[in-house]
Each structure stands twice: as structure tokens, then as C-alpha cells.
Amino acid sequence: MPSVLDWTDDDFSMCFGVNHLGHFLLTNLLLPRLKESSPSRVINLTCSSYKYQKLDFQDLNYNLFPFFTYCRSKLANIYFTQELAHMMEGKGVTAYAVHPGYVQSNWTCHFSVLFRILVQVTVVYCAVSDEVLPHNGGYFADCQPAHLRAFARDSGVAKKLWEA
């Protein structure tokens, strides 16, 4: 999570650019290969902090408070995952939004390394387990489908974000 407000060379909030627009661009660039190589999976990293903000389509580039910008970028990844899953239905590509857990860099070195390995288990689980297949477009935490707040399940908002 950023502690400073910064901007990309293209005048996007650095946080929104790195946390959402980068995922969106890379995935779209890889889509032809993902379809060619099906079955394929896209794993988007998000965070449970999505629930503290909603998107404002009048200002998607919101960058006033670093924590709010971070929350919005992670909510955008959830919507992106849902719309991608919808668009790829029947094309051999599935998508999952994953909250990998909390990693704090100020812990002791040995514990931090172990903790980082443990929290990545959900990412690997969603990448390889057939148990996730019925949850295409879903949100996962602790190796299981997790509940999203109602506003984060709005397919209309997901489609509108994709178009924006």
C-alpha cells in the first residue's frame, strides 16, 4: 500500500496504475495466448480492504488519500475478475480474485519469509486446484470462496469499469 501520493507518466494515480491498470493491460495482452493455451487461469491479487471504498466513475483516478486509493484499486481488481470471467465463458479461460493474506515487512527476517510462503498458498490453490472451477469470477481467501459485500458483486459496475 502506498504511503505517498504519486502519478504515472500517463497521469494515472500510481497506486491505481500499478494495482489495477497494470493487471488489466497485462491480462488483455495475454488473452490471445491464454485462449490458445486453454484451459488457462488468471489470478488477480486483491485485498479485503476493497470493502472500505466504492468506485467513483467521475473520478476513477482518485488519489487524495493513499489508503482509499489502494482500496479502490483492489475493488477494481474484483470487478475486473468478474467481467473477465463473464467474457471468457466457454473460451477456456477462467479468472479468480485472490486475497493472499497479510504480509508485513517489518517482522523478523525468518518469520517474514515463512509467513510470505504461507499466505501465497491461496494463490497457488486457485492456480492449480480443480475445486475452484465452479467459482469462475469468484473471490478467494484462505483457500476457499469468500463472501463479497453486495456492492462488489454488481455485474453492471464490473461491465462499466471494463468499458471505462
Side-chain angles (χ1 to χ4, degrees), residues 4-158:
V4 297
L5 303 175
D6 204 358
W7 299 92
T8 69
D9 291 342
D10 296 321
D11 291 325
F12 291 108
S13 154
M14 185 67 74
C15 180
F16 195 76
V18 169
N19 285 336
H20 174 64
L21 295 175
H23 287 64
F24 182 84
L25 177 61
L26 178 62
T27 302
N28 276 282
L29 291 172
L30 292 173
L31 271 180
R33 179 62 66 143
L34 290 167
K35 288 189 258 185
E36 245 175 55
S37 306
S38 70
S40 302
R41 296 182 194 185
V42 175
I43 310 299
N44 287 312
L45 297 184
T46 188
C47 181
S48 62
S49 65
Y50 79 86
K51 60 189 162 197
Y52 299 119
Q53 287 286 297
K54 294 182 181 177
L55 295 185
D56 176 0
F57 284 95
Q58 301 303 312
D59 187 11
L60 279 177
N61 208 26
Y62 179 88
N63 199 27
L64 295 177
F65 301 102
F67 179 69
F68 292 165
T69 304
Y70 177 80
C71 296
R72 289 177 182 205
S73 70
K74 294 306 183 175
L75 175 60
N77 283 352
I78 291 170
Y79 287 133
F80 168 53
T81 301
Q82 293 167 0
E83 186 62 13
L84 178 64
H86 174 73
M87 294 173 71
M88 292 296 110
E89 282 180 13
K91 296 181 178 150
V93 180
T94 55
Y96 307 91
V98 175
H99 170 60
Y102 297 99
V103 176
Q104 298 207 325
S105 59
N106 60 346
W107 292 354
T108 63
C109 182
H110 294 101
F111 185 73
S112 181
V113 169
L114 175 63
F115 189 71
R116 286 173 196 260
I117 292 168
L118 291 175
V119 298
Q120 299 306 316
V121 170
T122 303
V123 174
V124 174
Y125 174 75
C126 286
V128 301
S129 174
D130 289 341
E131 293 176 15
V132 304
L133 294 174
H135 305 284
N136 187 21
Y139 171 65
F140 282 77
D142 298 323
C143 294
Q144 58 189 354
H147 176 73
L148 284 170
R149 300 245 170 120
F151 71 86
R153 297 188 309 261
D154 187 327
S155 61
V157 173

